[in-house]
Amino acid sequence: MGETLGLKKALSQRQLRMIAIGGVIGAGLFVGSGVVIGDTGPGTFITYALAGVLIIMVMRMLAEMAVANPSTGSFADYARNAMGNWAGFSVGWLYWYFWVIVVGFEAIAGAKIIQYWMDVPLWLTALILLIAMTATNLFSVASFGEFEYWFAGVKVAAILVFIGLGSLFVLGLWPQKSLDFSNLTVHGGFFPLGVTAITVGVVTVIFSMVGAEIATIAAAESSDPERAVAKAANSVILRIAIFFVGSAFLLVTILPWNSEQTAASPFVAAFTEMGIPYADHIMNAVVLTAVLSCLNSGMYTASRMLFVLAARREAPAQLVAVTRRGVPAAAILTSSVIGLICVIAAAFFEDTIFAFLLASSGAVILFVYLLIAVSQIVLRYRTPDSELKVKMWLFPVLSVLTALAIGAILVQMFLQGGENRKALILSLCSWAVVIVLFLANRWFIRRRPEVAGVAPTPHPHRVLVLANQTVHSDELLDELRRIGADRESTYHVVVPASPIDTGVAATHGPLDISEATQQAAQRRLEHTLATLRSDDLEANGEVGDYRPLRALAAAVDAFRPDQIVISTLPPEESVWQRFDVVDRARAEHKIPVTHVVSRIRTEEHAS
């Protein structure tokens, strides 16, 4: 019914392109690469290549699904469509949990870097950084995009400068330096720890590459989502090859893999080896930028996933509210509060609560990637090839191999023992908690019997109707026609302007959701009034408050009805029944209330 509203342009192609380029570069590359080199040896770049291939496969699968079925919910919706509500619920909440922990972790990491230059309490600096990035996200989507553009630009520039200068150094084009690749073999050979060691670091490397998929979420708030997702997925190959594999190769070529300087801070050590002055200060500034970038994008990603969960009725409905600038403020502030808890835990309980939080989210992203892979396999078999503009390569072979590879990494985490095994076990516990919450939510909805109807007055003259997604259902219209059979009744229809109930939250981003909700509610109201009037019934109406009980109370005061009709979906699908809207309406208004349970077709939800 009516025109389909498109997303307003919030993120420019310039911003989205840099988010896609820089999103995969985190502080883990600058700092964590030293750990990987120490565990792997000169073959470190092979480890980065293996992990990179896995990320590339996941991004390609995401691109296929995103272009075929554009969705503001991104991979949470694909998991829901492929495997059911439990999978969408799991992906959404696990991904949100992962990123709110990252927000707290990055705030602490940034504070530690700042302590390199000035003596400031860790908790205070982390709090200031957290507040600053929260404010950036609260101001507007464009402000997030602009900050991330420059943050990502600094990271990309630093890597490109390192690759350029490092290439000159190892090729002998550097002053007083000859061609030299000896560090690849002279310290115990190319595989000093054995060939299998190159797989040990994959677990660490895969976490340093997390973030490529953020582009698929941010694309929902760009002017051309499908094109943006496809380009992000295609360009990730070049980004990983240059930024990760290229820089890892240069690091182990410039530096001995087993030196203490390499383990502590490989990029600083490499710049120092090349004779670059103030290398420690330069790289600390770059790492701080990478940390702030991750904090900024983590806040954005967590809030958007929480927004999507609320839109799918899997989180409190209040979290779908947006400001005039189109920002989901409630979702941002909720994510920020959890990040603040992590900061407090890190400042005062680093070895207990904070360590537990980090470990409990350690393998979560691998669970999400595994569900993405399975979702793509399932949805690909359901979708005709003619409808796919972007396809996963060599399907189903590469898709299945990707899923098996993720499973193998999880097994390896268990076999390695120590912190990796602890992270795997606690992350599985986190997933178990999410599943329990999903089942508890379903049980709570289904356990309650349908509310029995109250007999209406014999001949009501003023009938107030409260409905939203069922407003033009056959069950409701038939009931209203029955009530008005004597042609003496007047109807007043109220449609609450809820983005969830109108279905707009499932198809629109935060920026334009308010306007789209009002238009969708108005279209539903006009359609219902036209239907009633076509039956010679006297009807008028209004778009009400997004909270149904407040919309009802305002209409009761203005219209003074002698009969109320409330139409809902069945108990297992109805938010109104979940929160006792019918019973509370009966308790608040001494007016007969008829409850109509309507079953509508899926496509009517979005009409």
Side-chain angles (χ1 to χ4, degrees):
M1 292 168 52
E3 74 284 358
T4 300
L5 294 174
L7 283 169
K8 293 181 180 177
K9 182 178 180 180
L11 293 174
S12 67
Q13 289 300 317
R14 169 183 65 89
Q15 292 170 334
L16 196 66
R17 187 162 49 250
M18 190 57 75
I19 290 171
I21 293 172
V24 77
I25 306 173
L29 171 62
F30 298 106
V31 181
S33 52
V35 176
V36 180
I37 292 171
D39 291 339
T40 308
T44 294
F45 64 93
I46 300 176
T47 301
Y48 275 93
L50 291 174
V53 168
L54 189 63
I55 296 294
I56 290 168
M57 294 299 105
V58 171
M59 282 296 292
R60 185 69 182 187
M61 288 189 283
L62 268 178
E64 177 185 291
M65 293 186 289
V67 173
N69 300 287
S71 168
T72 58
S74 190
F75 35 87
D77 277 349
Y78 307 140
R80 181 180 293 104
N81 294 339
M83 293 173 281
N85 290 330
W86 71 270
F89 190 93
S90 294
V91 168
W93 279 109
L94 286 174
Y95 198 67
W96 174 81
Y97 180 63
F98 173 82
W99 278 107
V100 291
I101 300 299
V102 166
V103 163
F105 174 78
E106 296 295 345
I108 289 292
K112 287 181 177 178
I113 294 170
I114 290 174
Q115 282 186 329
Y116 183 81
W117 294 299
M118 60 183 71
D119 186 18
V120 185
L122 187 72
W123 68 268
L124 179 60
T125 310
L127 180 62
I128 291 172
L129 293 178
L130 184 62
I131 291 173
M133 291 302 99
T134 301
T136 299
N137 276 267
L138 283 173
F139 185 73
S140 71
V141 179
S143 66
F144 154 76
E146 196 61 25
F147 269 81
E148 194 59 25
Y149 175 83
W150 291 107
F151 285 156
V154 171
K155 292 188 293 184
V156 171
I159 292 292
L160 292 178
V161 167
F162 170 73
I163 289 175
L165 296 180
S167 298
L168 295 175
F169 187 81
V170 300
L171 292 174
L173 303 176
W174 198 258
Q176 300 178 340
K177 184 72 172 66
S178 59
L179 181 71
D180 186 6
F181 290 90
S182 61
N183 279 327
L184 293 175
T185 56
V186 297
H187 301 283
F190 189 69
F191 297 115
L193 302 175
V195 177
T196 57
I198 63 172
T199 65
V200 173
V202 171
V203 174
T204 304
V205 170
I206 202 79
F207 293 115
S208 71
M209 293 183 178
V210 171
E213 71 285 344
I214 292 176
T216 67
I217 297 175
E221 295 180 74
S222 72
S223 57
D224 191 352
E226 293 183 25
R227 180 169 170 264
V229 171
K231 289 187 68 174
N234 291 332
S235 64
V236 77
I237 302 172
L238 189 61
R239 285 181 276 141
I240 288 176
I242 294 175
F243 299 141
F244 285 93
V245 180
S247 60
F249 175 77
L250 288 173
L251 285 173
V252 294
T253 305
I254 295 170
L255 302 167
W257 71 272
N258 53 355
S259 73
E260 293 183 2
Q261 291 78 12
T262 302
S265 186
F267 282 86
V268 171
F271 276 126
T272 302
E273 179 71 16
M274 288 185 281
I276 306 296
Y278 306 108
D280 54 345
H281 291 285
I282 293 171
M283 284 313 301
N284 264 336
V286 171
V287 173
L288 178 60
T289 304
V291 165
L292 294 178
S293 171
C294 195
L295 176 55
N296 190 38
S297 59
M299 184 69 70
Y300 173 86
T301 306
S303 65
R304 267 39 179 198
M305 191 55 73
L306 204 54
F307 174 88
V308 167
L309 286 165
R312 277 38 170 197
R313 301 188 174 104
E314 293 171 343
Q318 293 83 348
L319 295 174
V320 86
V322 296
T323 66
R324 292 181 180 179
R325 294 179 179 270
V327 173
I332 291 173
L333 290 172
T334 301
S335 300
S336 180
V337 166
I338 304 301
L340 175 61
I341 292 173
C342 292
V343 167
I344 294 172
F348 301 104
F349 309 99
E350 184 174 2
D351 297 329
T352 53
I353 297 176
F354 188 61
F356 170 81
L357 291 173
L358 284 179
S360 66
S361 64
V364 158
I365 197 66
L366 288 174
F367 300 157
V368 172
Y369 284 169
L370 182 59
L371 289 173
I372 288 173
V374 175
S375 300
Q376 187 269 334
I377 294 170
V378 173
L379 294 178
R380 177 65 176 269
Y381 279 117
R382 295 180 186 172
T383 309
D385 281 358
S386 59
E387 296 181 11
L388 296 175
K389 299 177 183 178
V390 176
K391 296 180 181 180
M392 178 61 179
W393 305 297
L394 298 177
F395 180 83
V397 176
L398 288 184
S399 296
V400 173
L401 287 177
T402 301
L404 291 175
I406 297 171
I409 293 174
L410 293 171
V411 171
Q412 186 171 34
M413 287 183 69
F414 181 81
L415 295 177
Q416 284 177 355
E419 291 300 315
N420 281 333
R421 180 180 294 177
K422 179 181 177 182
L424 175 62
I425 293 173
L426 289 178
S427 296
L428 284 170
C429 291
S430 298
W431 194 356
V433 169
V434 169
I435 294 296
V436 168
L437 290 174
F438 170 78
L439 295 175
N441 183 54
R442 300 287 291 181
W443 174 82
F444 176 76
I445 295 171
R446 290 176 174 174
R447 73 178 179 86
R448 296 172 57 253
E450 289 189 12
V451 179
V454 173
T457 53
H459 299 289
H461 295 289
R462 300 179 66 79
V463 181
L464 177 58
V465 182
L466 182 72
N468 196 308
Q469 62 261 69
T470 62
V471 73
H472 49 73
S473 66
D474 291 339
E475 292 88 346
L476 175 59
L477 294 174
D478 288 345
E479 176 64 17
L480 298 182
R481 293 184 184 108
R482 186 194 63 78
I483 292 173
D486 57 6
R487 296 292 189 270
E488 294 181 3
S489 298
T490 299
Y491 299 89
H492 187 79
V493 181
V494 178
V495 178
S498 164
I500 298 175
D501 294 334
T502 56
V504 168
T507 57
H508 290 69
L511 189 68
D512 62 341
I513 195 170
S514 296
E515 178 185 347
T517 298
Q518 288 291 328
Q519 293 188 20
Q522 187 64 39
R523 288 198 304 272
R524 287 183 172 180
L525 174 64
E526 291 172 356
H527 174 77
T528 302
L529 294 180
T531 302
L532 293 174
R533 289 166 182 166
S534 69
D535 289 343
D536 296 327
L537 300 175
E538 183 179 344
N540 53 46
E542 62 182 302
V543 173
D545 190 285
Y546 75 93
R547 293 157 291 194
L549 287 173
R550 293 201 180 188
L552 180 65
V556 167
D557 290 342
F559 183 63
R560 299 295 177 183
D562 53 15
Q563 175 76 38
I564 296 174
V565 177
I566 300 178
S567 177
T568 72
L569 290 168
E572 65 273 12
E573 302 175 35
S574 174
V575 175
W576 289 11
Q577 290 211 52
R578 187 185 312 173
F579 294 103
D580 301 313
V581 167
V582 177
D583 284 346
R584 290 164 66 187
R586 287 176 174 148
E588 291 174 16
H589 307 288
K590 305 304 179 183
I591 304 169
V593 175
T594 296
H595 177 210
V596 177
V597 177
S598 303
R599 298 185 181 276
I600 59 176
R601 296 187 302 275
T602 302
E603 60 268 22
E604 290 178 328
H605 281 276
S607 61

